[in-house]
Amino acid sequence: MNFVTIGGIGVVLLWLLWLAGRRRNQQDLSPNREVAADGELLVRLPPPALFGRCLSATDVEFVTTLQSRALLRFLLHERRRLALEWLRQTRREAGRLFRLHLGSVRHSPDLRPAAEAKLLLQVALFMVVYGILMGFVGLYGPFRTQGFVQSVHALAGVLSGLGGRIADSVVPGHLARVSQAARS
Amino acid sequence: MGLSGAIWLLNDLMLLGLICRARQGSYWGEYPYYFTYLTCVLASDLIRLLVRVAYARAYGQEYWISEFITAIIGFGVAWEVYDHVFSRFRGAKRMARSVLSILLIAIVMNAFVKLAGDPLNRLVPTTQDLLRNIRVAQVFLLVALLSLIVHYRLPMGRNVRYLLVGYGLYIGIHMVTLTLPSEFLTAEGGGDALAGLEYCVTLCIWCVGMWSYHPDPTPGFSLELDYERVSRQTTRAFGRLRDYLTDSWRA
């Protein structure tokens, strides 16, 4: 093990020690504050259509007709900020849900490592999608990102349709024989 | 007596102070593995001093043997943390057991893979390698325990918190110093003084945190919770959030 790896582990250890040391037990022992009540584990965010209206192409078209580069730049800058804030709001909601979950289950004797691992995977997937979108909006702006997401969705739709057609073309009797062979 | 000797003397006095306080305050039984570890360290220091004066030639061997024994007993400190923090949280304890089992399997498999590559040279590692490996295993153990403590925000008493911070700092720094070039460690008193200083910092932290007994905080209620339902709901909510992220851009 080289010095860099050992140094990295050391830094992680010190960071965790700092995190563990700065917490207050009073907060830790008041789960009533954080236990999920009925309906609290639901996603509370504005409807997605609202964001679509924020990114409406009509505004851009209108500003373009004014032929003011400064105004157009300002509009694009504001739309980028709006898109980033929208994404951050979604992440904050994810944080709220995750904290609520942890606050609820840490006292539970039935806690199952497999279920927790599955949830962590969901969180990781969410963070990956969030990171990709943040990166795209930061680099290319919200309008190109919108186009990119729509293309990806269209492509996914085509692939899904192809998959469905392949599945339909498989003779049901053959499928039954294969699954029977797999079982035996 | 040089600087190194003075540091070791101070360390031994602190160790003695901690052990005496635990006996006097009758809280030895609350942290048996930890105080056994402290007693072993103190005993090894005294034996080391005796060997240095009476059998100077055997000092090198005795030094590494005692280092090895105290490193092994050091696992007791991690066990103490595990026992105290997770005892009131059965679910989190089960989670910790799973994580630690996976970690142990990973460490053992890693050792086997290394042995398979070069069995003759690696079967008998140098004492310094062996010590470093033990410390690395302890660091991984502490990182896993700390991750779970931070993740589930498990409450810790003052004693356990200082115990953990002190030991974490010590093995973290010790592991790094074991990777330093051997010329530095064998320089005139350099390694000895450095090791003494590391331990001095740890003992100062322990003297602050372990000087008197502070019981672990106990949650004064038990919650009736349908874990399955909460877990299912959160997993579903995250799926919805992921869809929401992409659906917003399609609208």
Side-chain angles (χ1 to χ4, degrees), chain A residues 1 3 6 9 12-14 16-17 19-21 23 25 28-29 31-32 34-35 38 41-43 45-49 51-52 55 83 86-87 90 93-94 97-99 101-102 104-113 115-116 118-120 122-123 125-126 129-130 133 137 142 145-146 149-150 153, chain B residues 88-92 94-95 98 114 132 136 139-140 142-144 146-147 149-158 161 164-169 171-172 175-176 179-180 217-221 223 225-231 233-242 244-251:
Chain A
M1 197 178 275
F3 191 77
I6 288 175
I9 299 167
V12 170
L13 179 67
L14 291 177
L16 285 170
L17 283 173
L19 281 179
R23 285 183 299 110
N25 278 334
D28 296 332
L29 287 172
N32 286 334
E34 284 205 342
V35 169
D38 273 346
L41 281 168
L42 296 175
V43 178
L45 284 168
F51 185 61
L55 290 187
W86 184 277
L87 289 171
T90 317
E93 178 64 7
L97 287 170
F98 196 53
R99 274 195 303 276
H101 171 83
L102 291 179
S104 306
V105 304
R106 68 184 177 139
H107 292 273
S108 167
D110 309 321
L111 194 143
R112 283 191 300 113
E116 291 295 294
K118 199 173 152 189
L119 178 64
L120 275 179
Q122 289 286 333
V123 176
L125 279 173
F126 169 81
V129 176
Y130 167 79
L133 286 173
V137 174
T145 306
Q146 197 177 27
V149 173
Q150 282 168 353
H153 264 287
Chain B
R88 287 168 182 83
F89 298 89
R90 276 189 291 152
R94 193 183 303 154
M95 187 79 187
S98 307
K114 278 186 174 168
R132 193 174 54 212
V136 168
V139 166
F140 276 121
L142 278 192
V143 166
L146 269 167
S147 305
I149 290 168
V150 171
H151 183 68
Y152 288 108
R153 281 183 286 159
L154 301 179
M156 284 186 287
R158 181 184 162 89
R161 179 172 299 176
L164 188 59
V165 170
Y167 197 63
L169 270 179
I171 59 167
M175 195 180 71
V176 174
T179 60
L180 288 175
T218 42
F221 45 81
L223 290 168
L225 176 89
D226 184 355
Y227 172 76
E228 290 286 337
R229 183 181 61 85
V230 172
S231 175
Q233 275 187 348
T234 318
T235 308
R236 210 181 297 143
F238 266 92
R240 266 195 223 113
L241 266 180
R242 212 173 56 245
Y244 179 88
L245 262 186
T246 49
D247 286 349
S248 310
W249 297 86
R250 289 166 61 201

Side-chain angles (χ1 to χ4, degrees), chain A residues 56-77:
Chain A
S56 165
T58 325
D59 297 341
V60 183
E61 281 162 15
F62 173 71
V63 171
T64 314
T65 57
L66 298 176
Q67 294 190 330
S68 164
R69 292 189 100 182
L71 201 58
L72 183 64
R73 204 178 305 129
F74 180 71
L75 178 81
L76 292 177
H77 178 73

